[in-house]
Amino acid sequence: KAGVTQTPRYLIKTRGQQVTLSCSPISGHRSVSWYQQTPGQGLQFLFEYFSETQRNKGNFPGRFSGRQFSNSRSEMNVSTLELGDSALYLCASSLDAGWNEQFFGPGTRLTVL
Amino acid sequence: QKEVEQNSGPLSVPEGAIASLNCTYSDRVSQSFFWYRQYSGKSPELIMSIYSNGDKEDGRFTAQLNKASQYVSLLIRDSQPSDSATYLCAVKASGNTPLVFGKGTRLSVIA
């Protein structure tokens, strides 16, 4: 069974631009969560989607948004990029809403110049 | 603010020894506990989950949970250089709450 896939794997953007990251969960998994990982802050929760609805949202500004499609694929968008948005963005899929075990994709490394 | 605390390390152990990784959490209603392994430059990989007090063994890995003390640990027996990685502890309360991660403990197994 294929794992979680994320595209693109690497991105370089400049301040003020916007970016869209994509995540395809494991086949049959319907819940997708997004995390930001930085050396200083560790893994921080961004949001969780299930059945095209946002179930939870972390403590991030409104510049960070996401959505989920009917096939469970998810995208996250960051607008008006700041230098501090440089991070590894990880997507994790789980079988169902509230299902405990999450499986991570390889991540998207975003660099903001 | 729900917190998960881990010693950042590095924790250095000789090959063949037992590595002991510890994690404490602040939210008393936490119900699910996970250990992830993250190699440098890679994404986290789920290696253990535990939901009840006591020990849970899987191969060389044993997870230990003590809800009264709000403490969860991971033991790695017969440590190998390939176990060198950062180990992340993650905790979840009820169904509709997100996972909260610790910042991880870096383990170095010396051959």
Side-chain angles (χ1 to χ4, degrees):
Chain A
K1 189 183 257 191
V4 179
T5 58
Q6 291 187 247
T7 57
R9 294 292 311 279
Y10 302 92
L11 264 179
I12 299 176
K13 293 285 188 179
T14 56
R15 280 180 297 173
Q17 288 187 306
Q18 75 164 16
V19 66
T20 299
L21 312 181
S22 180
C23 170
S24 292
I26 293 169
S27 178
H29 283 200
R30 300 193 296 159
S31 177
V32 172
S33 297
W34 288 89
Y35 297 87
Q36 181 195 68
Q37 187 174 36
T38 58
Q41 298 299 315
L43 259 169
Q44 293 192 288
F45 172 76
L46 281 157
F47 21 68
E48 178 191 0
Y49 286 90
F50 174 75
S51 288
E52 303 176 65
T53 300
Q54 188 180 90
R55 295 186 74 234
N56 276 300
K57 189 178 193 311
N59 189 26
F60 279 82
R63 301 186 296 107
F64 291 81
S65 62
R67 59 177 175 168
Q68 186 181 34
F69 302 96
S70 59
N71 62 356
S72 297
R73 190 178 69 85
S74 177
E75 289 181 346
M76 68 163 281
N77 185 78
V78 188
S79 62
T80 319
L81 284 166
E82 301 177 359
L83 294 178
D85 297 332
S86 294
L88 179 66
Y89 289 88
L90 291 159
C91 163
S93 82
S94 57
L95 193 60
D96 214 332
W99 196 261
N100 292 310
E101 296 186 345
Q102 295 186 4
F103 300 91
F104 284 88
T108 294
R109 172 74 61 184
L110 172 64
T111 302
V112 182
L113 302 176
Chain B
Q1 177 77 6
K2 301 179 178 63
E3 294 183 344
V4 177
E5 300 287 341
Q6 296 182 256
N7 188 321
S8 61
L11 173 66
S12 294
V13 300
E15 183 176 359
I18 296 176
S20 178
L21 304 161
N22 305 314
C23 170
T24 59
Y25 58 94
S26 64
D27 189 353
R28 285 196 165 273
V29 300
S30 297
Q31 298 181 359
S32 308
F33 307 86
F34 307 91
W35 284 99
Y36 285 82
R37 177 176 62 199
Q38 186 172 24
Y39 291 114
S40 180
K42 301 293 186 183
S43 61
E45 172 193 9
L46 179 64
I47 54 172
M48 287 288 286
S49 58
I50 186 166
Y51 303 97
S52 305
N53 278 329
D55 294 0
K56 178 182 178 183
E57 187 175 316
D58 184 0
R60 296 186 296 113
F61 298 100
T62 299
Q64 299 176 316
L65 175 61
N66 184 326
K67 289 185 180 180
S69 300
Q70 296 177 236
Y71 176 92
V72 58
S73 64
L74 179 71
L75 301 178
I76 306 175
R77 289 182 300 282
D78 189 23
S79 295
Q80 301 296 310
S82 59
D83 295 325
S84 298
T86 296
Y87 289 80
L88 301 168
C89 173
V91 175
K92 184 175 170 64
S94 60
N96 192 30
T97 58
L99 274 180
V100 179
F101 282 84
K103 292 189 177 180
T105 298
R106 188 156 56 95
L107 173 67
S108 178
V109 181
I110 310 299

